[in-house]
């Protein structure tokens, strides 16, 4: 097994659920630092700006710095710049809009969709559909199906993106996991090739399959949205499974011995 030079971590479900840290996360980060292994946190969170999300996680006592965080929300900003689009309708909570140009309601060049919880309704979807049919581009910060909360699984924004794609015949520009460019950004930050990278996550599609597609070693944690029955039914095969992020140092040590 080639030496692992860098780690990408999902956040929600790996280091915390709701407002509770998962035991052992900070200790794992300290172990990685002591062994000279770089890491970044990659998240499809689209409810907060990067600085606000960092502050929230620090409030949970997770040892994280803003420059270690790659969020789908910020990737959306970079995608708009790449496409040269400035008139945007932002389907995002106010707290997530800090890094974007001001939202417009009329004749947008792009519609940016993230997580807005239970604010979705027929009238909103219908309005967005018509603007897409009038020529606006669809920017999806991710296409997650569901996510874990303190009270169970909740429908994610990917379902609404899929509805708009179906209605309009347009394909969204997807910028978060499992989009290859998102993983490549993490590899570049850690100056590592894909076969030197390892992904740790709780989502078979966004984390495991997405990482394997670009050549990463991918490890599934049995926390967060992990469900054994979903793993049994899925054609996706993680390279490894660990009980929680606390088990990563032992897993990495076992890889070195192979």
């Amino acid at each position: 097994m080639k030496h692992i030079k860098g780690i990408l971590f999902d956040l929600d479900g790996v280091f915390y659920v709701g407002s509770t840290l998962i035991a052992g996360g900070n200790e794992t980060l300290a172990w990685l630092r002591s062994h000279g292994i770089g890491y970044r946190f990659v998240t499809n969170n689209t409810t907060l700006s990067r600085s606000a999300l960092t502050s929230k996680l620090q409030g949970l006592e997770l040892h994280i710095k803003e420059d270690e965080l790659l969020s789908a929300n910020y990737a959306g900003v970079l995608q708009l710049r790449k496409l040269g689009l400035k008139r945007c309708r932002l389907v995002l909570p106010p707290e997530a809009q800090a890094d974007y140009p001001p939202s417009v309601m009329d004749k947008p060049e792009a519609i940016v969709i993230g997580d807005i919880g239970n604010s979705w309704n027929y009238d909103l979807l219908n309005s967005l559909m018509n603007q897409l049919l009038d020529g606006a581009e669809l920017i999806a910060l991710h296409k997650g199906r569901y996510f874990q909360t303190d009270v169970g699984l909740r429908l994610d924004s990917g379902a609404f993106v899929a509805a708009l794609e179906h209605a309009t015949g347009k394909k969204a520009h997807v910028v978060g996991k499992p989009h290859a460019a998102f993983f490549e950004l993490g590899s570049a930050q850690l100056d590592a090739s894909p076969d030197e990278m390892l992904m740790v996550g709780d989502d078979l599609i966004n984390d495991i399959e997405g990482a394997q597609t670009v050549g990463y070693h991918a490890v599934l944690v049995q926390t967060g949205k992990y469900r054994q029955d979903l793993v049994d039914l899925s054609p996706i095969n993680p390279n490894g499974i660990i009980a929680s992020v606390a088990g990563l140092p032992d897993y990495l040590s076992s890889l070195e011995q192979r």
Side-chain angles (χ1 to χ4, degrees), residues 29-105:
L29 298 178
W31 186 92
L32 293 173
R33 291 192 296 270
S34 71
H35 285 74
I37 301 174
Y39 58 84
R40 291 291 185 273
F41 303 95
V42 289
T43 174
N44 275 351
N45 181 286
T46 62
T47 61
L48 296 169
S49 66
R50 192 163 69 145
S51 60
L53 180 57
T54 302
S55 295
K56 172 191 171 180
L57 296 172
Q58 290 173 342
L60 297 180
E61 299 187 353
L62 179 63
H63 300 166
I64 183 173
K65 301 174 183 177
E66 185 173 338
D67 62 3
E68 296 171 339
L69 177 62
L70 302 174
S71 72
N73 195 53
Y74 192 69
V77 176
L78 300 179
Q79 180 69 16
L80 290 173
R81 291 175 185 170
K82 179 180 177 180
L83 296 175
L85 302 174
K86 297 180 180 180
R87 285 186 55 81
C88 306
R89 181 173 180 180
L90 304 178
V91 187
L92 300 169
E95 298 85 354
Q97 298 183 21
D99 297 320
Y100 287 89
S103 183
V104 299
M105 295 297 292

Side-chain angles (χ1 to χ4, degrees), residues 30-245:
W31 186 92
L32 293 173
R33 291 192 296 270
S34 71
H35 285 74
I37 301 174
Y39 58 84
R40 291 291 185 273
F41 303 95
V42 289
T43 174
N44 275 351
N45 181 286
T46 62
T47 61
L48 296 169
S49 66
R50 192 163 69 145
S51 60
L53 180 57
T54 302
S55 295
K56 172 191 171 180
L57 296 172
Q58 290 173 342
L60 297 180
E61 299 187 353
L62 179 63
H63 300 166
I64 183 173
K65 301 174 183 177
E66 185 173 338
D67 62 3
E68 296 171 339
L69 177 62
L70 302 174
S71 72
N73 195 53
Y74 192 69
V77 176
L78 300 179
Q79 180 69 16
L80 290 173
R81 291 175 185 170
K82 179 180 177 180
L83 296 175
L85 302 174
K86 297 180 180 180
R87 285 186 55 81
C88 306
R89 181 173 180 180
L90 304 178
V91 187
L92 300 169
E95 298 85 354
Q97 298 183 21
D99 297 320
Y100 287 89
S103 183
V104 299
M105 295 297 292
D106 297 324
K107 300 186 185 306
E109 297 175 299
I111 294 170
V112 181
I113 293 180
D115 303 314
I116 57 170
N118 60 4
S119 296
W120 288 102
N121 58 55
Y122 176 85
D123 289 339
L124 174 58
L125 283 167
N126 196 60
S127 173
L128 297 175
M129 178 194 73
N130 279 286
Q131 289 180 330
L132 291 169
L133 290 173
D134 285 341
E137 295 293 323
L138 178 58
I139 311 293
L141 299 188
H142 64 79
K143 289 186 72 176
R145 298 179 179 185
Y146 50 81
F147 59 97
Q148 180 69 38
T149 72
D150 290 335
V151 294
L153 297 177
R154 299 291 297 272
L155 189 68
D156 213 338
S157 61
F160 303 102
V161 172
L164 290 168
E165 288 180 319
H166 178 71
T168 64
K170 282 194 167 184
K171 286 294 183 183
H173 300 271
V174 184
V175 298
K177 296 179 294 180
H179 194 61
F182 198 56
F183 289 97
E184 290 163 0
L185 181 61
S187 302
Q189 287 207 1
L190 294 171
D191 192 26
S193 60
D195 63 346
E196 296 173 317
M197 292 292 297
L198 185 145
M199 175 73 204
V200 180
D202 68 332
D203 187 304
L204 281 169
I205 297 173
N206 288 337
D207 297 329
I208 304 306
E209 185 178 42
Q212 289 177 331
T213 297
V214 296
Y216 283 31
H217 188 96
V219 176
L220 183 70
V221 291
Q222 295 174 312
T223 53
K225 66 176 70 170
Y226 174 89
R227 299 289 187 277
Q228 183 62 52
D229 57 340
L230 296 179
V231 174
D232 292 340
L233 292 170
S234 176
I236 302 166
N237 294 308
N239 299 103
I241 299 178
I242 56 178
S244 77
V245 69

